[in-house]
Amino acid sequence: MTEALYRTATQADVVLMLDWAADEGWNPGLDDAMAFYAADPQGFFVAEVDGAQVAAISVVNHSDSFAFLGLYLCLPAFRNKGIGYGLWRHAIAHAGGRTVGLDGVPAQEANYAKSGFELADRTRRLAGTVVGPAQLLPFASPEDFAALAQLDAAANGVTRPRFLEEWLRSVPSRVSVVLHDGAGISGFATARLCREGCKIGPVVAPDAAAAFYLMQQAAAVAGCASVIVDVPDTSAAFGALLRQNGFAETFATARMYRGQRPDPGDMLHAVATLELG
């Protein structure tokens, strides 16, 4: 086993991690690093060999009871040397007794199962083009945050206030739109420009038709026609609606949990990110 040093990552390291993710074809958002890091500055880790970063992982503690694992990467020259697994063990200790979720490639399900993770669901990445409606929904504002956080928690079955507050903050490459009904805010969606096209997520809505409308609106305000949406199998109706409108599945991931799995509601139609949940 090659000798490696494991340490907590800096924000600059997180930028590097996302560059590695881009090299692997994961197509991260243009400004993901700041939002990811804000969720848990102690939740990113790198392995170094001879002073150079060679592997990375994130285990972000969203709350006192829930964490999410992602960005598990190792440079090709350092694979199969025990470095990645050593970093995994080092990082996952950060979660303590929390439930830990991840979105992994199906080929690694057996390996994740060895670490106590159990399959709960699958997420389908669907890609296509959209034409936004002429009349646009309002952007999310700081005054909306409490209502949006409540919707997000109900949809996901977990709270993640630090991540969500930064994710919903409008920046040049990321914007969120909100849907109102007679009682107040009933849904929202975030669009973020990526290295290629844009990703829409989360999409939280009362039904599949509202989710599709929110996705169109989010893409329109982001000025992006080429769209990627990560749809959990629990939202089969939204997935079917996307396919009816020309979207195609490009790959799928396995949503797995170690510990008591969350109890999500029926309003989650697209996840925010495969890296942080």
Side-chain angles (χ1 to χ4, degrees):
M1 175 174 169
T2 302
E3 189 68 25
L5 169 70
Y6 306 125
R7 65 167 175 82
T8 303
T10 65
Q11 188 168 342
D13 291 322
V14 176
V15 173
L16 177 64
M17 292 162 68
L18 291 168
D19 285 341
W20 289 355
D23 292 341
E24 293 292 327
W26 295 4
N27 191 26
L30 299 181
D31 290 307
D32 282 357
M34 182 174 294
F36 285 8
Y37 193 71
D40 181 4
Q42 303 302 311
F44 298 83
F45 305 88
V46 293
E48 291 184 343
V49 173
D50 297 329
Q53 299 98 320
V54 300
I57 195 171
S58 60
V59 180
V60 168
N61 290 342
H62 281 304
S63 71
D64 291 340
S65 60
F66 184 72
F68 203 86
L69 185 154
L71 288 172
Y72 188 32
L73 296 150
C74 187
L75 296 182
F78 294 90
R79 294 172 185 169
N80 302 312
K81 299 179 183 294
I83 295 172
Y85 184 58
L87 182 62
W88 166 287
R89 290 184 298 175
H90 173 84
I92 208 165
H94 179 64
R98 295 170 177 84
T99 292
V100 182
L102 63 80
D103 280 308
V105 294
Q108 293 298 320
E109 281 182 46
N111 286 333
Y112 297 141
K114 293 175 184 177
S115 293
F117 286 82
E118 296 182 354
L119 179 66
D121 195 15
R122 298 197 185 278
T123 303
R124 314 284 173 175
R125 173 157 291 180
L126 299 173
T129 58
V130 298
V131 177
Q135 188 172 4
L136 299 181
L137 288 173
F139 292 4
S141 70
E143 292 74 22
D144 297 327
F145 179 73
L148 297 178
Q150 187 174 10
L151 284 174
D152 187 76
N156 287 279
V158 299
T159 59
R160 44 184 186 173
R162 294 182 302 273
F163 168 68
L164 199 64
E165 184 173 12
E166 189 63 36
W167 198 248
L168 296 177
R169 192 189 311 278
S170 292
V171 297
S173 69
R174 190 176 59 250
V175 65
S176 300
V177 295
V178 296
L179 182 67
H180 290 81
D181 60 18
I185 296 175
S186 59
F188 70 98
T190 299
R192 79 192 200 272
L193 299 181
C194 296
R195 314 244 175 150
E196 296 179 10
C198 77
K199 294 179 182 175
I200 312 292
V203 178
V204 175
D207 54 48
F212 190 83
Y213 178 63
L214 274 164
M215 181 208 65
Q216 288 179 303
Q217 291 275 335
V221 299
C224 192
S226 179
V227 168
I228 297 163
V229 194
D230 294 318
V231 181
D233 277 356
T234 50
S235 184
F238 181 49
L241 189 54
L242 289 169
R243 290 180 174 90
Q244 290 168 18
N245 283 272
F247 278 65
E249 182 176 329
T250 59
F251 71 86
T253 60
R255 173 61 65 94
M256 305 180 77
Y257 294 103
R258 188 189 74 172
Q260 184 174 355
R261 68 179 62 176
D263 183 21
D266 58 4
M267 292 182 66
L268 181 67
H269 300 283
V271 303
T273 82
L274 298 181
E275 296 81 20
L276 267 71

